[in-house]
Amino acid sequence: MNKYTLGAVAGALTCTFALQAAATEWNVSVWGKRRAFTEHVEKLAELVSEKTNGEFTMNISYGGLSKNRENLDGISIGAFEMAQFCAGYHADKNRVITVLELPFLGVENLKQEVAVSNAVYAHPAAVEEMAQWNAKLLMTSPMPQYNLVGTGEPRDTLAKFAGMRVRATGGIGNAFELVGAVPTSVTSAEAYQAMESGVVDTVAFAQHAHLSFGTINQADWWTANLNPGTVNCPIVVNIDAYDSLSDAEREALDSSVPEAIDHYLANYGELLKRWDTVLEEKGVEKVMLSDDAIAEFREKAAGPIRDAWIADMEGQGLPGQELYDLVEKTLADAKASGS
């Protein structure tokens, strides 16, 4: 082979390696199966690939990369570039965003949930805390207010919550404990088995999770209006991976977040529209608690848990009161704007 042929081969190989190096591939760790809760991640991957002509792609793994409680740890060591987690799984690692899991905040819809989440995610305390895990908060996974499914006689009064074994995490679990229930924080994937085996009597989930994890198939009844709060589950990216993106790739990612959230909201809205039909098809009774029972629940849980949370955060050097006030103001502004 003469030097000219060698030069051509070397040039071709160099071009091939350059093209390979130019492509960016991220691994994304979620869990369960594709469902309403992950539709924004799926849409984000689709949009980013489209905007970069396939040069920036995301491989979304449902449980193949990490357990859901270990996703933040995986991000911190760079085991994958993007992940979803829920604050209640390890509240000590993400203290700031647990303000969004306080019970009875008054969030009425998913748009308001997005607004308060975005405000907290942008707060310097949240940014700094996540940076300790080499994580950047990218977008939320907005969920409606949680409600219970249960077996046996409906728990339709506060007195009937006494001794109730409930799968509930974070502030919701704390709220149930204050009215005599016994919360347990098994993961979403374990909830069906816990209910089937009698470890818990009831499970607190948003609608999509009752469907996805099968708890609705064990249920005799569902509380339609308890609405004690919800769980906050961010999508985070590894900071080193984010910083290594080209300007065009970073723009494609950042600009796709609002579009992905809009897609999520539209998709979840369709699920909520057919929820009553789901209950009817599965023979699940729709239970309405009285206004007095809900007011009593709020009085016993909201203030004490909020005050304890603020004191705990302030004691750890975090701006607890400021964060709670931020949520209140953002929510008031969202409601005033018609969201």
Side-chain angles (χ1 to χ4, degrees):
M1 188 179 293
N2 61 39
K3 64 180 181 179
Y4 300 108
T5 304
L6 284 172
V9 171
L13 287 172
T14 300
C15 290
T16 299
F17 291 145
L19 286 171
Q20 289 175 342
T24 298
E25 188 173 334
W26 275 15
N27 290 318
V28 184
S29 182
V30 295
W31 65 90
K33 61 184 179 181
R34 182 170 180 175
R35 57 202 188 281
F37 182 64
T38 60
E39 274 305 299
H40 54 335
V41 181
E42 295 282 355
K43 187 65 174 180
L44 187 74
E46 176 188 321
L47 290 167
V48 166
S49 180
E50 287 177 357
K51 292 178 181 181
T52 61
N53 296 315
E55 291 301 313
F56 181 8
T57 57
M58 297 178 182
N59 299 319
I60 302 171
S61 173
Y62 286 86
L65 297 173
S66 174
K67 295 179 180 178
N68 49 6
R69 290 182 183 271
E70 297 171 4
N71 272 344
L72 186 55
D73 293 327
I75 284 290
S76 71
I77 63 173
F80 32 80
E81 290 79 15
M82 181 184 292
Q84 186 176 40
F85 69 86
C86 293
Y89 286 163
H90 33 62
D92 57 322
K93 295 179 180 180
N94 44 245
R95 298 162 295 172
V96 171
I97 63 173
T98 59
V99 67
L100 296 162
E101 296 194 341
L102 292 174
F104 296 106
L105 285 174
V107 177
E108 297 169 339
N109 57 52
L110 294 183
K111 285 187 177 180
Q112 292 173 11
E113 185 66 32
V114 171
V116 295
S117 293
N118 287 347
V120 171
Y121 290 2
H123 192 284
V127 174
E128 181 180 349
E129 184 170 53
M130 284 294 100
Q132 295 172 17
W133 301 99
N134 204 19
K136 171 184 170 61
L137 291 156
L138 186 69
M139 61 180 175
T140 188
S141 308
M143 288 185 284
Q145 295 290 292
Y146 272 32
N147 272 285
L148 298 175
V149 298
T151 56
E153 182 184 351
R155 309 272 184 162
D156 53 4
T157 67
L158 216 57
K160 292 180 181 179
F161 286 179
M164 178 181 72
R165 295 165 299 168
V166 56
R167 184 276 176 192
T169 61
I172 299 172
N174 295 336
F176 280 118
E177 189 171 19
L178 284 179
V179 292
V182 182
T184 180
S185 59
V186 298
T187 67
S188 52
E190 299 165 329
Y192 178 88
Q193 185 177 358
M195 197 172 181
E196 184 181 39
S197 63
V199 171
V200 298
D201 309 305
T202 58
V203 172
F205 271 156
Q207 286 91 328
H208 79 274
H210 283 308
L211 283 171
S212 297
F213 295 106
T215 49
I216 194 68
N217 299 321
Q218 288 287 326
D220 296 319
W221 51 268
W222 176 77
T223 59
N225 66 334
L226 188 58
N227 300 334
T230 192
V231 172
N232 194 262
C233 301
I235 306 298
V236 293
V237 297
N238 174 277
I239 290 175
D240 295 333
Y242 181 82
D243 289 345
S244 70
L245 294 174
S246 68
D247 289 344
E249 290 170 337
R250 195 174 301 111
E251 168 60 23
L253 177 63
D254 292 344
S255 67
S256 296
V257 169
E259 296 176 72
I261 289 291
D262 286 345
H263 171 76
Y264 179 107
L265 295 178
N267 182 75
Y268 211 115
E270 290 303 312
L271 184 154
L272 294 177
K273 287 178 183 177
R274 66 175 187 271
W275 182 246
D276 282 349
T277 301
V278 170
L279 296 177
E280 185 177 348
E281 289 174 349
K282 295 183 179 294
V284 177
E285 180 184 352
K286 189 174 180 179
V287 173
M288 299 287 289
L289 280 82
S290 70
D291 291 343
D292 288 345
I294 294 172
E296 183 183 356
F297 192 9
R298 184 183 298 109
E299 183 180 353
K300 288 185 175 182
I305 291 174
R306 174 200 63 215
D307 294 344
W309 183 89
I310 291 172
D312 184 29
M313 293 301 109
E314 297 283 349
Q316 296 182 60
L318 292 170
Q321 185 66 58
E322 182 179 326
L323 288 162
Y324 181 78
D325 291 345
L326 174 63
V327 171
E328 290 279 282
K329 182 181 184 305
T330 304
L331 185 55
D333 290 346
K335 290 180 178 179
S337 68
S339 294

